[in-house]
Amino acid sequence: MNIFIALLATLLCSRVRLCDGTTFCVVGGVDSANNAIITIHSASQGWVGFGTGSRMAGSSMYVAWRNSTGGVVLSPRQASGNILPQISSERIASLVATPSSITTPSWAKISFSFKRPLAGIVTLTSSTSYIYAMSDSAPENPDSPAAAIGIHSQRRSLGPVDMTQSIDSPDQILSVGGGGPILSLPSGTTYDMILRTHGIIMFVAWVLCPAVGIFIARYLKNAMGVWWFRAHFMIMGVGTGLLTIAGITLVYLYKAPPHFDDSPHRVGGLVIGIAMVAQIVLGIVADRMFSPTRTAVPWWDKAHWWLGRGLAVLGILNVFGGILLFQSFGYPVSLVIKVLVSFTVGVVVAAFVYGEFRLGQVHHMAGKSYDPEQTALQSDGSYIPLH
Ligand code: HEM
Ligand code: HEM
Ligand SMILES: *[C@@H]1O[C@H](CO)[C@@H](O)[C@H](O)[C@H]1NC(C)=O
């Protein structure tokens, strides 16, 4: 976080959504009466505090926890140093309902919104810095706003963040430590639309394309002759290949760093993308090195089959992982979508079971059925025995 980001946010004139991984998020902006409206999401369940400045001393802090009946208690505090902050003498902050445009991440244990005027002991400006801290241990008497809280288990200085833009404007998404995304969202769009587009592209690339492209390579060589290869190359090499690169690039450009970290989906997605490039290279090698007189299946062909089969399975798992990750951000995924995706995957599996038992074992075309261990496919679509 640095001044540059604060400036960027100002230029873009949008409310800020700043997250530290999946442990802490703050969304802040001002309402029409020029009050700051600040929403906090915390993954810790004891207490969470958000304050001005870059250290405890002199900070106007807003600490919150759950009371004995589950409601949120807001406790404005101030501290003279790294010691237990005391109740603030300033009575300008109050809890408000979280604006409906703000989604609560599924990992959040404490979420609340409060309002205060920009002016105060510490006046909020476009370049005010902030800190946060949290703990999983709740105060002993949670019904009192003056309750003593234990020391934080996690804390961080966030640097300058502009919380003075309209709370009704779209989110400017920032993450702690890395700065903002390479591109800012096109006007009228929200980040979840980027992720939905990524999801649809990847669904086509890793559920629909492999279903057809691999089915053809595995079962339809006989039926399609030379066309099986052209179709497989177009669907897998061009279709899956370009769509995957586009889908990953899309998130990369609009997501604030860090990239490819912190979840099996992001790490797995990158691994799938890289392995896919190797798979395409292996496919091209298998085609170029093909010789009708070969007497054994070369290793690069086998590597292409097995890497391809593995990628097909991983790709489908990553599609489900992506949907779960998307949901964990608090974005809704309709039941219809989940049912449709699962149903499609079910149909694909059924098609391969059918292919395996009805097409894979085509023995009535003696000598012409394609068993890669026994026969080699020639470019004119006919087969010659390998042994
Ligand atoms: C096999 C298919 C998929 C691959 C290879 C893939 C790949 C990736 C990669 C590499 C990232 C990390 C990008 C970065 O950190 O800059 C990512 C993030 C993400 N993907 Fe996917 N993805 C796939 C399918 C999906 C699907 C179907 C969804 C459903 C909506 C989805 C939702 C997400 C979400 C929510 C993120 C996190 C974005 C963030 O951290 O802000 N992905 N994906
Ligand atoms: C992400 C992209 C790709 C995936 C996931 C993929 C997957 C597969 C799979 C799983 C098989 C074996 C089918 C089976 O018997 O189980 C296969 C066969 C084959 N693929 Fe691909 N493929 C991809 C791209 C390509 C490309 C770009 C080419 C060529 C330029 C290619 C050329 C071939 C060839 C020649 C075979 C048949 C090998 C043989 O049966 O001797 N593939 N592919
Ligand atoms: C807990 O908080 C809720 C909402 O803030 C409030 O309505 C309720 O009275 C509080 N319960 C106690 C026991 O103080």
Side-chain angles (χ1 to χ4, degrees):
M1 295 309 307
N2 51 34
I3 306 255
F4 170 74
I5 289 149
L7 282 175
L8 190 73
T10 313
L11 287 173
L12 293 165
C13 240
S14 43
R15 76 178 179 204
V16 157
R17 179 187 173 93
L18 170 66
C19 295
D20 193 352
T22 49
T23 49
F24 175 87
C25 280
V26 53
V27 185
V30 297
D31 66 8
S32 50
N34 231 21
N35 291 305
I37 308 284
I38 295 176
T39 302
I40 305 290
H41 303 297
S42 152
S44 70
Q45 50 198 3
W47 60 265
V48 56
F50 177 69
T52 60
S54 48
R55 62 189 65 84
M56 287 181 70
S59 175
S60 289
M61 300 172 182
Y62 302 91
V63 181
W65 57 81
R66 290 194 178 282
N67 68 15
S68 55
T69 53
V72 169
V73 176
L74 174 68
S75 175
R77 305 265 171 143
Q78 55 199 27
S80 54
N82 292 340
I83 51 167
L84 177 65
Q86 297 303 309
I87 275 281
S88 173
S89 57
E90 194 174 50
R91 310 231 171 274
I92 59 172
S94 57
L95 286 171
V96 291
T98 295
S100 57
S101 58
I102 295 176
T103 44
T104 301
S106 64
W107 48 257
K109 302 257 172 43
I110 305 174
S111 282
F112 69 99
S113 300
F114 68 96
K115 151 176 142 171
R116 57 155 279 181
L118 291 178
I121 294 176
V122 175
T123 293
L124 308 185
T125 70
S126 58
S127 57
T128 301
S129 291
Y130 297 91
I131 52 176
Y132 84 81
M134 54 174 62
S135 162
D136 278 326
S137 316
E140 269 173 27
N141 50 343
D143 292 332
S144 159
I149 54 171
I151 192 166
H152 32 70
S153 52
Q154 188 183 132
R155 69 194 155 84
R156 193 142 183 179
S157 169
L158 300 171
V161 185
D162 183 4
M163 304 247 179
T164 65
Q165 302 301 318
S166 168
I167 192 72
D168 298 318
S169 56
D171 284 347
Q172 168 65 22
I173 298 182
L174 304 175
S175 68
V176 175
I182 294 171
L183 295 182
S184 53
L185 290 168
S187 67
T189 62
T190 49
Y191 186 58
D192 71 306
M193 294 181 193
I194 300 290
L195 295 181
R196 280 175 211 276
T197 310
H198 166 83
I200 292 167
I201 290 175
M202 293 309 204
F203 175 77
V204 174
W206 289 97
V207 178
L208 301 186
C209 288
V212 181
I214 297 180
F215 193 89
I216 288 174
R218 194 172 167 93
Y219 307 116
L220 299 182
K221 289 202 186 83
N222 286 346
M224 294 177 68
V226 289
W227 283 95
W228 84 263
F229 177 74
R230 295 172 193 170
H232 180 74
F233 175 77
M234 287 308 290
I235 295 168
M236 301 309 298
V238 181
T240 298
L242 292 185
L243 286 174
T244 303
I245 291 169
I248 294 179
T249 306
L250 183 70
V251 178
Y252 189 86
L253 291 176
Y254 289 102
K255 178 189 188 297
H259 293 286
F260 313 122
D261 78 326
D262 226 36
S263 89
H265 178 80
R266 297 193 194 95
V267 179
L270 181 65
V271 169
I272 290 173
I274 293 170
M276 179 197 75
V277 175
Q279 171 72 357
I280 293 175
V281 171
L282 281 170
I284 293 171
V285 169
D287 175 50
R288 287 293 145 86
M289 305 287 277
F290 175 75
S291 144
T293 57
R294 71 186 187 188
T295 55
V297 178
W299 68 264
W300 47 82
D301 278 47
K302 289 187 175 163
H304 182 84
W305 302 341
W306 284 104
L307 184 58
R309 292 165 192 164
L311 279 177
V313 172
L314 281 180
I316 288 177
L317 291 180
N318 220 43
V319 165
F320 285 108
I323 293 172
L324 293 178
L325 184 61
F326 180 78
Q327 240 184 334
S328 80
F329 292 176
Y331 299 122
V333 179
S334 75
L335 187 63
V336 176
I337 304 255
K338 288 185 214 166
V339 170
L340 273 180
V341 172
S342 310
F343 180 75
T344 311
V345 171
V347 169
V348 172
V349 172
F352 274 80
V353 171
Y354 173 86
E356 204 58 38
F357 292 106
R358 290 301 178 88
L359 306 173
Q361 304 175 325
V362 185
H363 291 307
H364 60 264
M365 296 179 72
K368 284 212 111 190
S369 70
Y370 182 77
D371 174 349
E373 301 288 347
Q374 304 297 330
T375 51
L377 174 68
Q378 299 185 86
S379 47
D380 66 359
S382 66
Y383 305 88
I384 54 159
L386 290 175
H387 304 290

